[in-house]
Amino acid sequence: MPGCEPTGLQVEAVSFRYGSRTALRDVTFQVARGEWFGLLGPNGSGKTTLFRILSTLLEPQTGRVVWNGEPVNRHQLGVVFQSPSLDRKLTVRENLSYHARLYGWRGAALTHRIEELLEQFALRDRADDLVGELSGGLKRRVELAKALLPQPALLLLDEPGTGLDPRARRQFNDDLAALRNRDAITIVMTTHLLDEAERCDRLAILDEGRLIAVDTPAALRQRVGGDVVSVTARRPDWLIAQLKQQFGIVAHTMDGQVRFERDHGHQFVPQLVEAFPGEILSVSVGKPTLEDAFIHLTGHRL
């Protein structure tokens, strides 16, 4: 129907194989315009392949990716790759200038755009410093400024927090939040870092090339269905069998600990210790995290 064309990013039944290995299996999701959307998964989950498809470096073997109802055009994109794409022997201003010229910026418009971005990302006092002399956090901000030079509607970031210390990572994500709130730009990022994932409006969890779930971080945590109880036991396999037999609890081992989910877990601890005297070495109870949600959905750690 006229006027009802889909807006935002649509990933429709995308699959991709490398020889006999399937990297993506029929992945489908949508990202609304102005949304901050995360692709969460471990190495080998298909995140990198999907990122390469979104950024037009690869063509999907089946399915399609569209932006506002049309095939994605690379000129609509701003892209920050995981590997640095700055010239260390050029200044910040020179890096931005050379990149802008690739998009046809010239003269006063080019100068104005660069000054605008230097101001926006608090880089003006470092504009004439060599990129190789900058900290990791500042380099990432230059990468972001560079990606925004063509004024894209869709910003793609591949593991943007990799290699940054926690403080620099928080600052970078604050920059992204300010950018999204001011310009309503759509952000899609891959990550395996939980603090980055928590900042997203919604997350797509990928595992072994499959889309496992799409939801808000809070809703994903709620899927765990109770507190997470972790037990260090003398005989983990025996304890798992006994928990099933006596309490109907389905538990599993992870990193040498017995883990299970239980409503009001702290109230269950005395009962647990009393039921298995001498077997329980330590117990911890916590509210579900995104990693707990990932374990709940996939059966293994992020």
Side-chain angles (χ1 to χ4, degrees):
M1 294 176 59
C4 295
E5 293 84 358
T7 60
L9 181 70
Q10 289 83 40
V11 177
E12 302 174 355
V14 167
S15 296
F16 197 90
R17 297 175 64 89
Y18 297 98
S20 62
R21 184 175 70 85
T22 300
L24 294 170
R25 306 167 188 263
D26 197 32
V27 172
T28 298
F29 61 85
Q30 297 183 358
V31 181
R33 294 185 68 175
E35 187 173 19
W36 187 350
F37 191 87
L39 303 172
L40 179 66
N43 292 335
S45 63
K47 298 195 313 295
T48 298
T49 298
L50 182 55
F51 184 87
R52 289 170 63 84
I53 289 173
L54 296 179
S55 58
T56 73
L57 296 176
L58 283 178
E59 288 283 343
Q61 292 167 342
T62 62
R64 66 174 190 155
V65 176
V66 296
W67 171 253
N68 293 337
E70 299 291 337
V72 174
N73 185 315
R74 66 183 59 188
H75 296 291
Q76 299 168 321
L77 304 176
V79 184
V80 177
F81 295 99
Q82 182 176 354
S83 299
S85 61
L86 301 172
D87 191 321
R88 295 170 52 86
K89 296 183 178 180
L90 298 180
T91 67
V92 172
R93 192 187 306 275
E94 288 168 340
N95 269 277
L96 295 179
S97 177
Y98 289 142
H99 189 69
R101 291 175 187 276
L102 296 176
Y103 286 89
W105 293 82
R106 297 290 187 274
L110 180 149
T111 301
H112 175 75
R113 181 61 178 150
I114 289 176
E115 292 302 316
E116 186 177 53
L117 289 166
L118 290 173
E119 181 70 25
Q120 181 177 338
F121 292 103
L123 292 166
R124 188 180 297 281
D125 62 340
R126 309 301 296 271
D128 297 314
D129 291 354
L130 296 177
V131 163
E133 297 173 354
L134 303 181
S135 67
L138 284 174
K139 288 176 184 174
R140 266 308 194 206
R141 285 159 71 183
V142 178
E143 294 264 15
L144 183 55
K146 178 181 168 184
L148 293 173
L149 274 165
Q151 299 176 310
L154 175 60
L155 178 64
L156 305 177
L157 305 105
D158 189 17
E159 301 281 358
T162 297
L164 299 183
D165 62 55
R167 180 178 179 181
R169 192 160 66 241
R170 283 194 300 272
Q171 180 60 59
F172 186 81
N173 284 308
D174 287 346
D175 292 339
L176 288 180
L179 174 69
R180 194 277 300 270
N181 293 337
R182 183 184 62 248
D183 299 337
I185 193 170
T186 304
I187 300 172
V188 178
M189 60 185 283
T190 70
T191 186
H192 66 280
L193 301 173
L194 298 179
D195 59 337
E196 282 190 340
E198 287 283 2
R199 301 290 295 265
C200 297
D201 298 318
R202 288 190 304 144
L203 293 168
I205 290 183
L206 292 167
D207 189 45
E208 297 181 350
R210 294 174 294 117
L211 182 66
I212 305 299
V214 179
D215 219 326
T216 65
L220 289 170
R221 290 194 300 272
Q222 289 173 0
R223 295 194 187 195
V224 174
D227 296 326
V228 177
V229 182
S230 299
V231 181
T232 303
R234 295 188 185 279
R235 295 178 291 173
D237 292 340
W238 178 87
L239 180 61
I240 287 173
Q242 292 302 309
L243 286 168
K244 176 67 174 177
Q245 179 179 331
Q246 297 190 35
F247 299 102
I249 293 173
V250 177
H252 58 274
T253 56
M254 186 162 295
D255 297 336
Q257 290 192 313
V258 176
R259 291 171 56 97
F260 58 90
E261 300 154 14
R262 180 83 174 188
D263 287 332
H264 309 294
H266 63 287
Q267 297 177 3
F268 181 65
V269 170
Q271 189 177 359
L272 174 69
V273 174
E274 183 178 349
F276 308 111
E279 287 293 330
I280 309 300
L281 302 178
S282 67
V283 183
S284 65
V285 180
K287 294 298 180 184
T289 65
L290 272 180
E291 182 169 28
D292 293 321
F294 187 87
I295 293 169
H296 175 81
L297 291 166
T298 68
H300 60 84
R301 282 192 181 279
L302 178 62

